[in-house]
Amino acid sequence: MIKKILVGLIGLGVIVLAAFLVIAWKPSIDSVDPPSEGEFSQEQIDRGEIIAGLGNCQTCHTTDQEQPYAGGLAMPTPFGTIYSTNITPDPETGIGQWSEEAFSRAMREGVSRSGAHLFPAFPYTHFTKMTDGDVADLYAYMMTREPIQAEAPENTLEFPFNIRLLQAGWKILFFDEGRYQADSSKSDTWNRGAYIAEGLGHCSACHTPRNQFGAEDESQAWEGTVINNWYAPALNGSNRSPVAWSEDDAYAYLRSGGSPHHGVAVGSMADVVHAGLGLAPDDDIRGLATWLAGLNPSDGADLAAQQAAEAINAASNKRTPSSLMGEGERIFAYACASCHYNDPDSPNALRPDMALNSAVFAPDPVNLIRVTLEGVSLEEGIPGAMMPAFGEALTDREVASLLAFLRSSQTDQPAWSDLEEQVRNQRQQ
């Protein structure tokens, strides 16, 4: 009887393995000659450039700004490091021999021209929502870039995560292939924003925590998480900032890089706003703003202004008499307040009041630590405005004291723990 059971289990295992291999195996797609000059219209190429921006393609596929899209960017994961690939039309190291069919399959199914499964660090789980027209336009744009011969470093994923065939199992569990389906109960503007945010822009790839298998945890959608050593804040009602996103605030932030009621775009988000969305038409930005405001509905600009004034006034009332100032408050008064004090009735996006800044309300202090140490460059935030770096002027203890003061005086949130150690770690990085 035991022997029969073992034989049965082995036979079942063989059947399951055979079925998996049938599902996992993908054929290669024949190579093609690189498209000739003039094969695509300029209008199509221009549309493709906008789509590439909405997908933030250049940021992930570029290490040297003089060699855009040549790949090689290291993306650390809990399973090892993945390097972005060369997506220029170089026939040897890039995608110059890829047909539009092969390109479309990679974008929307996560399978390369050779038939190998792509790792989900490439967000095909979102790009699957793209329309045929957008894929074709993006293909036209990529195939008309300057071919660059550059081989990406080998990935350093741990076994068994380095076995591409196993990605087919991951897809069975976590990948829903299919195009974007419009919500008939929403406006065209909202649907355009949702298509960009959920598809092209793959916003939840940064703003949603991931499970132990590296997939987005749908039970915590839009709850915010740390990624690339920046905190991508919650975009839904769990965001603790005192002012909810209105459409006008969201539009100003995504179009210019700053909002008077939330702060400025830095780090990875600065790349999204300035490098990614810079060429997008206003209709696309307005659509994104409408969609974003809908994740945590507010009563519009009037309520936002009221909430902002109340938050600034509440923080002002917490300030102690000058003779009782602690170290953090003294540093703020001498180094920060001249720029970051706002009139409650007219907050300034160029120099946001800290009682409104989302980084001060975040559950993780990494953004505030990094901005304090590194400053905000002229290319980040709102172009033309900058903040000096205080990394050399302040010690770890002084930065920690400053941030502890801001957390206690500007918010009603619990204190951050081990601030000095966190500052030290960020400084070392």
PDB file of all heavy atoms in Angstrom, residues 225-233 253 264 266-269 357-360 362 364-376 387 403 416 422 426:
ATOM      1  N   THR A 225       5.302  53.021   1.530  1.00  0.00           N
ATOM      2  CA  THR A 225       6.390  52.136   1.929  1.00  0.00           C
ATOM      3  C   THR A 225       7.726  52.780   1.576  1.00  0.00           C
ATOM      4  O   THR A 225       7.779  53.743   0.811  1.00  0.00           O
ATOM      5  CB  THR A 225       6.263  50.763   1.227  1.00  0.00           C
ATOM      6  OG1 THR A 225       7.211  49.851   1.773  1.00  0.00           O
ATOM      7  CG2 THR A 225       6.496  50.886  -0.277  1.00  0.00           C
ATOM      8  N   VAL A 226       8.806  52.246   2.127  1.00  0.00           N
ATOM      9  CA  VAL A 226      10.148  52.710   1.790  1.00  0.00           C
ATOM     10  C   VAL A 226      10.645  51.947   0.566  1.00  0.00           C
ATOM     11  O   VAL A 226      10.586  50.722   0.521  1.00  0.00           O
ATOM     12  CB  VAL A 226      11.125  52.499   2.960  1.00  0.00           C
ATOM     13  CG1 VAL A 226      12.553  52.867   2.543  1.00  0.00           C
ATOM     14  CG2 VAL A 226      10.705  53.335   4.160  1.00  0.00           C
ATOM     15  N   ILE A 227      11.117  52.681  -0.437  1.00  0.00           N
ATOM     16  CA  ILE A 227      11.653  52.079  -1.643  1.00  0.00           C
ATOM     17  C   ILE A 227      12.778  52.962  -2.160  1.00  0.00           C
ATOM     18  O   ILE A 227      12.676  54.186  -2.133  1.00  0.00           O
ATOM     19  CB  ILE A 227      10.548  51.883  -2.708  1.00  0.00           C
ATOM     20  CG1 ILE A 227      11.108  51.164  -3.946  1.00  0.00           C
ATOM     21  CG2 ILE A 227       9.900  53.203  -3.084  1.00  0.00           C
ATOM     22  CD1 ILE A 227      10.023  50.678  -4.905  1.00  0.00           C
ATOM     23  N   ASN A 228      13.867  52.345  -2.598  1.00  0.00           N
ATOM     24  CA  ASN A 228      15.041  53.086  -3.063  1.00  0.00           C
ATOM     25  C   ASN A 228      15.547  54.079  -2.004  1.00  0.00           C
ATOM     26  O   ASN A 228      16.038  55.152  -2.336  1.00  0.00           O
ATOM     27  CB  ASN A 228      14.736  53.827  -4.363  1.00  0.00           C
ATOM     28  CG  ASN A 228      14.393  52.890  -5.499  1.00  0.00           C
ATOM     29  OD1 ASN A 228      14.851  51.757  -5.532  1.00  0.00           O
ATOM     30  ND2 ASN A 228      13.565  53.360  -6.423  1.00  0.00           N
ATOM     31  N   ASN A 229      15.379  53.699  -0.740  1.00  0.00           N
ATOM     32  CA  ASN A 229      15.828  54.534   0.372  1.00  0.00           C
ATOM     33  C   ASN A 229      15.102  55.883   0.427  1.00  0.00           C
ATOM     34  O   ASN A 229      15.651  56.873   0.909  1.00  0.00           O
ATOM     35  CB  ASN A 229      17.345  54.745   0.337  1.00  0.00           C
ATOM     36  CG  ASN A 229      17.900  55.123   1.693  1.00  0.00           C
ATOM     37  OD1 ASN A 229      17.357  54.740   2.734  1.00  0.00           O
ATOM     38  ND2 ASN A 229      18.971  55.897   1.711  1.00  0.00           N
ATOM     39  N   TRP A 230      13.868  55.911  -0.069  1.00  0.00           N
ATOM     40  CA  TRP A 230      12.960  57.046   0.101  1.00  0.00           C
ATOM     41  C   TRP A 230      11.631  56.492   0.580  1.00  0.00           C
ATOM     42  O   TRP A 230      11.273  55.363   0.239  1.00  0.00           O
ATOM     43  CB  TRP A 230      12.744  57.810  -1.213  1.00  0.00           C
ATOM     44  CG  TRP A 230      13.927  58.584  -1.684  1.00  0.00           C
ATOM     45  CD1 TRP A 230      14.833  58.213  -2.633  1.00  0.00           C
ATOM     46  CD2 TRP A 230      14.351  59.883  -1.230  1.00  0.00           C
ATOM     47  NE1 TRP A 230      15.789  59.175  -2.805  1.00  0.00           N
ATOM     48  CE2 TRP A 230      15.518  60.211  -1.960  1.00  0.00           C
ATOM     49  CE3 TRP A 230      13.857  60.800  -0.300  1.00  0.00           C
ATOM     50  CZ2 TRP A 230      16.198  61.421  -1.781  1.00  0.00           C
ATOM     51  CZ3 TRP A 230      14.528  61.985  -0.111  1.00  0.00           C
ATOM     52  CH2 TRP A 230      15.681  62.295  -0.845  1.00  0.00           C
ATOM     53  N   TYR A 231      10.906  57.281   1.346  1.00  0.00           N
ATOM     54  CA  TYR A 231       9.578  56.853   1.771  1.00  0.00           C
ATOM     55  C   TYR A 231       8.554  57.374   0.776  1.00  0.00           C
ATOM     56  O   TYR A 231       8.396  58.588   0.597  1.00  0.00           O
ATOM     57  CB  TYR A 231       9.252  57.371   3.174  1.00  0.00           C
ATOM     58  CG  TYR A 231       7.854  56.992   3.615  1.00  0.00           C
ATOM     59  CD1 TYR A 231       7.559  55.669   3.949  1.00  0.00           C
ATOM     60  CD2 TYR A 231       6.831  57.934   3.671  1.00  0.00           C
ATOM     61  CE1 TYR A 231       6.281  55.299   4.326  1.00  0.00           C
ATOM     62  CE2 TYR A 231       5.550  57.576   4.057  1.00  0.00           C
ATOM     63  CZ  TYR A 231       5.275  56.255   4.383  1.00  0.00           C
ATOM     64  OH  TYR A 231       3.995  55.896   4.742  1.00  0.00           O
ATOM     65  N   ALA A 232       7.870  56.452   0.089  1.00  0.00           N
ATOM     66  CA  ALA A 232       6.775  56.816  -0.808  1.00  0.00           C
ATOM     67  C   ALA A 232       5.511  56.844   0.038  1.00  0.00           C
ATOM     68  O   ALA A 232       5.044  55.799   0.483  1.00  0.00           O
ATOM     69  CB  ALA A 232       6.653  55.796  -1.937  1.00  0.00           C
ATOM     70  N   PRO A 233       4.943  58.017   0.297  1.00  0.00           N
ATOM     71  CA  PRO A 233       3.872  58.124   1.291  1.00  0.00           C
ATOM     72  C   PRO A 233       2.579  57.446   0.857  1.00  0.00           C
ATOM     73  O   PRO A 233       2.342  57.192  -0.333  1.00  0.00           O
ATOM     74  CB  PRO A 233       3.671  59.637   1.428  1.00  0.00           C
ATOM     75  CG  PRO A 233       4.151  60.199   0.136  1.00  0.00           C
ATOM     76  CD  PRO A 233       5.281  59.317  -0.297  1.00  0.00           C
ATOM     77  N   TYR A 253       1.403  69.937  -7.757  1.00  0.00           N
ATOM     78  CA  TYR A 253       2.544  69.099  -7.378  1.00  0.00           C
ATOM     79  C   TYR A 253       3.080  68.324  -8.570  1.00  0.00           C
ATOM     80  O   TYR A 253       4.299  68.288  -8.816  1.00  0.00           O
ATOM     81  CB  TYR A 253       2.103  68.137  -6.276  1.00  0.00           C
ATOM     82  CG  TYR A 253       3.196  67.255  -5.735  1.00  0.00           C
ATOM     83  CD1 TYR A 253       3.999  67.677  -4.678  1.00  0.00           C
ATOM     84  CD2 TYR A 253       3.430  65.995  -6.270  1.00  0.00           C
ATOM     85  CE1 TYR A 253       5.009  66.861  -4.176  1.00  0.00           C
ATOM     86  CE2 TYR A 253       4.426  65.170  -5.773  1.00  0.00           C
ATOM     87  CZ  TYR A 253       5.213  65.611  -4.726  1.00  0.00           C
ATOM     88  OH  TYR A 253       6.214  64.805  -4.231  1.00  0.00           O
ATOM     89  N   VAL A 264       7.504  69.531  -1.472  1.00  0.00           N
ATOM     90  CA  VAL A 264       8.075  69.467  -2.813  1.00  0.00           C
ATOM     91  C   VAL A 264       8.543  68.060  -3.136  1.00  0.00           C
ATOM     92  O   VAL A 264       8.778  67.247  -2.245  1.00  0.00           O
ATOM     93  CB  VAL A 264       9.249  70.464  -2.975  1.00  0.00           C
ATOM     94  CG1 VAL A 264       8.780  71.888  -2.779  1.00  0.00           C
ATOM     95  CG2 VAL A 264      10.382  70.128  -2.005  1.00  0.00           C
ATOM     96  N   VAL A 266      11.136  65.349  -4.148  1.00  0.00           N
ATOM     97  CA  VAL A 266      12.576  65.112  -4.056  1.00  0.00           C
ATOM     98  C   VAL A 266      12.839  63.648  -4.355  1.00  0.00           C
ATOM     99  O   VAL A 266      11.931  62.825  -4.409  1.00  0.00           O
ATOM    100  CB  VAL A 266      13.141  65.468  -2.659  1.00  0.00           C
ATOM    101  CG1 VAL A 266      13.037  66.956  -2.396  1.00  0.00           C
ATOM    102  CG2 VAL A 266      12.408  64.683  -1.569  1.00  0.00           C
ATOM    103  N   GLY A 267      14.112  63.317  -4.546  1.00  0.00           N
ATOM    104  CA  GLY A 267      14.496  61.925  -4.744  1.00  0.00           C
ATOM    105  C   GLY A 267      13.824  61.298  -5.945  1.00  0.00           C
ATOM    106  O   GLY A 267      13.732  61.887  -7.025  1.00  0.00           O
ATOM    107  N   SER A 268      13.312  60.087  -5.769  1.00  0.00           N
ATOM    108  CA  SER A 268      12.687  59.349  -6.860  1.00  0.00           C
ATOM    109  C   SER A 268      11.492  60.087  -7.423  1.00  0.00           C
ATOM    110  O   SER A 268      11.238  60.054  -8.636  1.00  0.00           O
ATOM    111  CB  SER A 268      12.261  57.960  -6.373  1.00  0.00           C
ATOM    112  OG  SER A 268      13.351  57.242  -5.854  1.00  0.00           O
ATOM    113  N   MET A 269      10.736  60.771  -6.569  1.00  0.00           N
ATOM    114  CA  MET A 269       9.549  61.470  -7.047  1.00  0.00           C
ATOM    115  C   MET A 269       9.920  62.683  -7.873  1.00  0.00           C
ATOM    116  O   MET A 269       9.173  63.075  -8.782  1.00  0.00           O
ATOM    117  CB  MET A 269       8.663  61.876  -5.861  1.00  0.00           C
ATOM    118  CG  MET A 269       7.250  62.264  -6.265  1.00  0.00           C
ATOM    119  SD  MET A 269       6.371  60.901  -7.078  1.00  0.00           S
ATOM    120  CE  MET A 269       5.119  61.821  -7.991  1.00  0.00           C
ATOM    121  N   ASN A 357       4.183  69.864   5.866  1.00  0.00           N
ATOM    122  CA  ASN A 357       5.072  69.024   5.060  1.00  0.00           C
ATOM    123  C   ASN A 357       4.821  67.545   5.335  1.00  0.00           C
ATOM    124  O   ASN A 357       4.900  67.082   6.470  1.00  0.00           O
ATOM    125  CB  ASN A 357       6.527  69.383   5.370  1.00  0.00           C
ATOM    126  CG  ASN A 357       7.471  68.843   4.327  1.00  0.00           C
ATOM    127  OD1 ASN A 357       7.547  67.650   4.123  1.00  0.00           O
ATOM    128  ND2 ASN A 357       8.181  69.740   3.665  1.00  0.00           N
ATOM    129  N   SER A 358       4.538  66.799   4.281  1.00  0.00           N
ATOM    130  CA  SER A 358       4.195  65.381   4.442  1.00  0.00           C
ATOM    131  C   SER A 358       5.344  64.582   5.045  1.00  0.00           C
ATOM    132  O   SER A 358       5.119  63.572   5.708  1.00  0.00           O
ATOM    133  CB  SER A 358       3.781  64.777   3.095  1.00  0.00           C
ATOM    134  OG  SER A 358       4.845  64.851   2.164  1.00  0.00           O
ATOM    135  N   ALA A 359       6.600  65.011   4.830  1.00  0.00           N
ATOM    136  CA  ALA A 359       7.742  64.272   5.371  1.00  0.00           C
ATOM    137  C   ALA A 359       7.767  64.307   6.888  1.00  0.00           C
ATOM    138  O   ALA A 359       8.252  63.372   7.536  1.00  0.00           O
ATOM    139  CB  ALA A 359       9.043  64.849   4.818  1.00  0.00           C
ATOM    140  N   VAL A 360       7.250  65.376   7.483  1.00  0.00           N
ATOM    141  CA  VAL A 360       7.244  65.498   8.938  1.00  0.00           C
ATOM    142  C   VAL A 360       6.183  64.582   9.546  1.00  0.00           C
ATOM    143  O   VAL A 360       6.314  64.119  10.682  1.00  0.00           O
ATOM    144  CB  VAL A 360       6.995  66.964   9.358  1.00  0.00           C
ATOM    145  CG1 VAL A 360       7.087  67.126  10.869  1.00  0.00           C
ATOM    146  CG2 VAL A 360       8.013  67.876   8.684  1.00  0.00           C
ATOM    147  N   ALA A 362       5.218  61.651   8.118  1.00  0.00           N
ATOM    148  CA  ALA A 362       5.402  60.275   7.654  1.00  0.00           C
ATOM    149  C   ALA A 362       5.792  59.352   8.807  1.00  0.00           C
ATOM    150  O   ALA A 362       6.459  59.774   9.754  1.00  0.00           O
ATOM    151  CB  ALA A 362       6.475  60.227   6.567  1.00  0.00           C
ATOM    152  N   ASP A 364       7.977  57.090   8.674  1.00  0.00           N
ATOM    153  CA  ASP A 364       9.415  56.853   8.562  1.00  0.00           C
ATOM    154  C   ASP A 364      10.102  58.189   8.301  1.00  0.00           C
ATOM    155  O   ASP A 364       9.693  58.944   7.421  1.00  0.00           O
ATOM    156  CB  ASP A 364       9.697  55.885   7.404  1.00  0.00           C
ATOM    157  CG  ASP A 364      11.118  55.352   7.416  1.00  0.00           C
ATOM    158  OD1 ASP A 364      12.058  56.170   7.315  1.00  0.00           O
ATOM    159  OD2 ASP A 364      11.298  54.122   7.514  1.00  0.00           O
ATOM    160  N   PRO A 365      11.173  58.520   9.038  1.00  0.00           N
ATOM    161  CA  PRO A 365      11.806  59.838   8.897  1.00  0.00           C
ATOM    162  C   PRO A 365      12.824  59.949   7.776  1.00  0.00           C
ATOM    163  O   PRO A 365      13.476  60.987   7.628  1.00  0.00           O
ATOM    164  CB  PRO A 365      12.500  60.024  10.249  1.00  0.00           C
ATOM    165  CG  PRO A 365      12.903  58.638  10.628  1.00  0.00           C
ATOM    166  CD  PRO A 365      11.778  57.745  10.143  1.00  0.00           C
ATOM    167  N   VAL A 366      12.978  58.906   6.936  1.00  0.00           N
ATOM    168  CA  VAL A 366      14.081  58.880   5.974  1.00  0.00           C
ATOM    169  C   VAL A 366      14.065  60.082   5.040  1.00  0.00           C
ATOM    170  O   VAL A 366      15.119  60.664   4.739  1.00  0.00           O
ATOM    171  CB  VAL A 366      14.082  57.553   5.171  1.00  0.00           C
ATOM    172  CG1 VAL A 366      12.799  57.367   4.375  1.00  0.00           C
ATOM    173  CG2 VAL A 366      15.297  57.490   4.255  1.00  0.00           C
ATOM    174  N   ASN A 367      12.896  60.519   4.572  1.00  0.00           N
ATOM    175  CA  ASN A 367      12.860  61.655   3.643  1.00  0.00           C
ATOM    176  C   ASN A 367      13.354  62.925   4.309  1.00  0.00           C
ATOM    177  O   ASN A 367      14.137  63.692   3.734  1.00  0.00           O
ATOM    178  CB  ASN A 367      11.435  61.870   3.122  1.00  0.00           C
ATOM    179  CG  ASN A 367      10.973  60.764   2.201  1.00  0.00           C
ATOM    180  OD1 ASN A 367      11.679  59.785   1.986  1.00  0.00           O
ATOM    181  ND2 ASN A 367       9.783  60.904   1.648  1.00  0.00           N
ATOM    182  N   LEU A 368      12.909  63.156   5.537  1.00  0.00           N
ATOM    183  CA  LEU A 368      13.297  64.373   6.234  1.00  0.00           C
ATOM    184  C   LEU A 368      14.781  64.343   6.578  1.00  0.00           C
ATOM    185  O   LEU A 368      15.474  65.374   6.500  1.00  0.00           O
ATOM    186  CB  LEU A 368      12.450  64.546   7.496  1.00  0.00           C
ATOM    187  CG  LEU A 368      12.435  65.942   8.119  1.00  0.00           C
ATOM    188  CD1 LEU A 368      11.918  66.982   7.129  1.00  0.00           C
ATOM    189  CD2 LEU A 368      11.584  65.959   9.385  1.00  0.00           C
ATOM    190  N   ILE A 369      15.290  63.179   6.951  1.00  0.00           N
ATOM    191  CA  ILE A 369      16.719  63.051   7.243  1.00  0.00           C
ATOM    192  C   ILE A 369      17.535  63.360   5.993  1.00  0.00           C
ATOM    193  O   ILE A 369      18.476  64.167   6.022  1.00  0.00           O
ATOM    194  CB  ILE A 369      17.045  61.631   7.748  1.00  0.00           C
ATOM    195  CG1 ILE A 369      16.409  61.374   9.118  1.00  0.00           C
ATOM    196  CG2 ILE A 369      18.567  61.436   7.835  1.00  0.00           C
ATOM    197  CD1 ILE A 369      16.550  59.939   9.599  1.00  0.00           C
ATOM    198  N   ARG A 370      17.163  62.752   4.877  1.00  0.00           N
ATOM    199  CA  ARG A 370      17.959  62.917   3.660  1.00  0.00           C
ATOM    200  C   ARG A 370      17.903  64.357   3.148  1.00  0.00           C
ATOM    201  O   ARG A 370      18.919  64.893   2.687  1.00  0.00           O
ATOM    202  CB  ARG A 370      17.472  61.940   2.582  1.00  0.00           C
ATOM    203  CG  ARG A 370      17.774  60.494   2.912  1.00  0.00           C
ATOM    204  CD  ARG A 370      17.554  59.592   1.717  1.00  0.00           C
ATOM    205  NE  ARG A 370      18.441  59.925   0.611  1.00  0.00           N
ATOM    206  CZ  ARG A 370      18.505  59.244  -0.527  1.00  0.00           C
ATOM    207  NH1 ARG A 370      17.731  58.186  -0.698  1.00  0.00           N
ATOM    208  NH2 ARG A 370      19.341  59.599  -1.486  1.00  0.00           N
ATOM    209  N   VAL A 371      16.743  64.964   3.209  1.00  0.00           N
ATOM    210  CA  VAL A 371      16.634  66.347   2.738  1.00  0.00           C
ATOM    211  C   VAL A 371      17.439  67.278   3.637  1.00  0.00           C
ATOM    212  O   VAL A 371      18.093  68.211   3.161  1.00  0.00           O
ATOM    213  CB  VAL A 371      15.160  66.780   2.681  1.00  0.00           C
ATOM    214  CG1 VAL A 371      15.045  68.288   2.514  1.00  0.00           C
ATOM    215  CG2 VAL A 371      14.455  66.083   1.516  1.00  0.00           C
ATOM    216  N   THR A 372      17.428  67.027   4.944  1.00  0.00           N
ATOM    217  CA  THR A 372      18.211  67.864   5.861  1.00  0.00           C
ATOM    218  C   THR A 372      19.708  67.713   5.584  1.00  0.00           C
ATOM    219  O   THR A 372      20.447  68.701   5.541  1.00  0.00           O
ATOM    220  CB  THR A 372      17.904  67.492   7.323  1.00  0.00           C
ATOM    221  OG1 THR A 372      16.500  67.622   7.569  1.00  0.00           O
ATOM    222  CG2 THR A 372      18.664  68.408   8.275  1.00  0.00           C
ATOM    223  N   LEU A 373      20.148  66.491   5.371  1.00  0.00           N
ATOM    224  CA  LEU A 373      21.567  66.250   5.128  1.00  0.00           C
ATOM    225  C   LEU A 373      22.004  66.699   3.735  1.00  0.00           C
ATOM    226  O   LEU A 373      23.084  67.274   3.574  1.00  0.00           O
ATOM    227  CB  LEU A 373      21.885  64.757   5.287  1.00  0.00           C
ATOM    228  CG  LEU A 373      21.744  64.147   6.679  1.00  0.00           C
ATOM    229  CD1 LEU A 373      22.002  62.646   6.610  1.00  0.00           C
ATOM    230  CD2 LEU A 373      22.699  64.797   7.676  1.00  0.00           C
ATOM    231  N   GLU A 374      21.174  66.428   2.722  1.00  0.00           N
ATOM    232  CA  GLU A 374      21.579  66.610   1.330  1.00  0.00           C
ATOM    233  C   GLU A 374      21.038  67.886   0.692  1.00  0.00           C
ATOM    234  O   GLU A 374      21.535  68.318  -0.351  1.00  0.00           O
ATOM    235  CB  GLU A 374      21.106  65.410   0.503  1.00  0.00           C
ATOM    236  CG  GLU A 374      21.621  64.067   1.006  1.00  0.00           C
ATOM    237  CD  GLU A 374      20.888  62.888   0.387  1.00  0.00           C
ATOM    238  OE1 GLU A 374      20.223  63.085  -0.660  1.00  0.00           O
ATOM    239  OE2 GLU A 374      20.950  61.785   0.953  1.00  0.00           O
ATOM    240  N   GLY A 375      19.977  68.478   1.311  1.00  0.00           N
ATOM    241  CA  GLY A 375      19.360  69.642   0.707  1.00  0.00           C
ATOM    242  C   GLY A 375      18.452  69.266  -0.450  1.00  0.00           C
ATOM    243  O   GLY A 375      18.209  68.095  -0.734  1.00  0.00           O
ATOM    244  N   VAL A 376      17.947  70.288  -1.125  1.00  0.00           N
ATOM    245  CA  VAL A 376      17.103  70.108  -2.307  1.00  0.00           C
ATOM    246  C   VAL A 376      17.754  70.888  -3.443  1.00  0.00           C
ATOM    247  O   VAL A 376      17.938  72.103  -3.344  1.00  0.00           O
ATOM    248  CB  VAL A 376      15.663  70.614  -2.074  1.00  0.00           C
ATOM    249  CG1 VAL A 376      14.831  70.448  -3.337  1.00  0.00           C
ATOM    250  CG2 VAL A 376      15.022  69.877  -0.896  1.00  0.00           C
ATOM    251  N   MET A 387      17.176  74.285  -1.402  1.00  0.00           N
ATOM    252  CA  MET A 387      17.425  74.299   0.040  1.00  0.00           C
ATOM    253  C   MET A 387      18.856  73.833   0.252  1.00  0.00           C
ATOM    254  O   MET A 387      19.273  72.831  -0.332  1.00  0.00           O
ATOM    255  CB  MET A 387      16.450  73.360   0.751  1.00  0.00           C
ATOM    256  CG  MET A 387      16.777  73.139   2.224  1.00  0.00           C
ATOM    257  SD  MET A 387      15.646  71.960   2.982  1.00  0.00           S
ATOM    258  CE  MET A 387      16.687  71.333   4.315  1.00  0.00           C
ATOM    259  N   LEU A 403      14.964  67.227  14.075  1.00  0.00           N
ATOM    260  CA  LEU A 403      13.841  66.439  13.572  1.00  0.00           C
ATOM    261  C   LEU A 403      12.879  66.036  14.684  1.00  0.00           C
ATOM    262  O   LEU A 403      11.659  65.992  14.475  1.00  0.00           O
ATOM    263  CB  LEU A 403      14.366  65.196  12.835  1.00  0.00           C
ATOM    264  CG  LEU A 403      14.640  65.370  11.345  1.00  0.00           C
ATOM    265  CD1 LEU A 403      15.553  66.553  11.061  1.00  0.00           C
ATOM    266  CD2 LEU A 403      15.230  64.095  10.748  1.00  0.00           C
ATOM    267  N   TRP A 416       9.534  59.595  16.469  1.00  0.00           N
ATOM    268  CA  TRP A 416      10.343  58.600  15.768  1.00  0.00           C
ATOM    269  C   TRP A 416      11.366  58.023  16.747  1.00  0.00           C
ATOM    270  O   TRP A 416      11.907  58.734  17.596  1.00  0.00           O
ATOM    271  CB  TRP A 416      11.083  59.231  14.601  1.00  0.00           C
ATOM    272  CG  TRP A 416      10.208  59.620  13.443  1.00  0.00           C
ATOM    273  CD1 TRP A 416       9.282  58.845  12.809  1.00  0.00           C
ATOM    274  CD2 TRP A 416      10.214  60.879  12.759  1.00  0.00           C
ATOM    275  NE1 TRP A 416       8.707  59.544  11.773  1.00  0.00           N
ATOM    276  CE2 TRP A 416       9.261  60.792  11.720  1.00  0.00           C
ATOM    277  CE3 TRP A 416      10.928  62.065  12.907  1.00  0.00           C
ATOM    278  CZ2 TRP A 416       8.998  61.848  10.849  1.00  0.00           C
ATOM    279  CZ3 TRP A 416      10.680  63.113  12.048  1.00  0.00           C
ATOM    280  CH2 TRP A 416       9.720  63.005  11.034  1.00  0.00           C
ATOM    281  N   GLN A 422      19.501  56.560  13.049  1.00  0.00           N
ATOM    282  CA  GLN A 422      19.010  56.612  11.671  1.00  0.00           C
ATOM    283  C   GLN A 422      19.724  57.708  10.874  1.00  0.00           C
ATOM    284  O   GLN A 422      20.039  57.520   9.696  1.00  0.00           O
ATOM    285  CB  GLN A 422      17.503  56.851  11.656  1.00  0.00           C
ATOM    286  CG  GLN A 422      16.694  55.683  12.204  1.00  0.00           C
ATOM    287  CD  GLN A 422      15.224  55.794  11.843  1.00  0.00           C
ATOM    288  OE1 GLN A 422      14.847  55.781  10.683  1.00  0.00           O
ATOM    289  NE2 GLN A 422      14.378  55.914  12.866  1.00  0.00           N
ATOM    290  N   GLN A 426      22.058  57.081   7.498  1.00  0.00           N
ATOM    291  CA  GLN A 426      21.830  57.783   6.230  1.00  0.00           C
ATOM    292  C   GLN A 426      23.076  58.560   5.816  1.00  0.00           C
ATOM    293  O   GLN A 426      23.408  58.644   4.625  1.00  0.00           O
ATOM    294  CB  GLN A 426      20.635  58.731   6.340  1.00  0.00           C
ATOM    295  CG  GLN A 426      19.295  58.030   6.399  1.00  0.00           C
ATOM    296  CD  GLN A 426      19.034  57.160   5.169  1.00  0.00           C
ATOM    297  OE1 GLN A 426      19.382  57.538   4.055  1.00  0.00           O
ATOM    298  NE2 GLN A 426      18.436  56.015   5.374  1.00  0.00           N
TER     299      GLN A 426
END
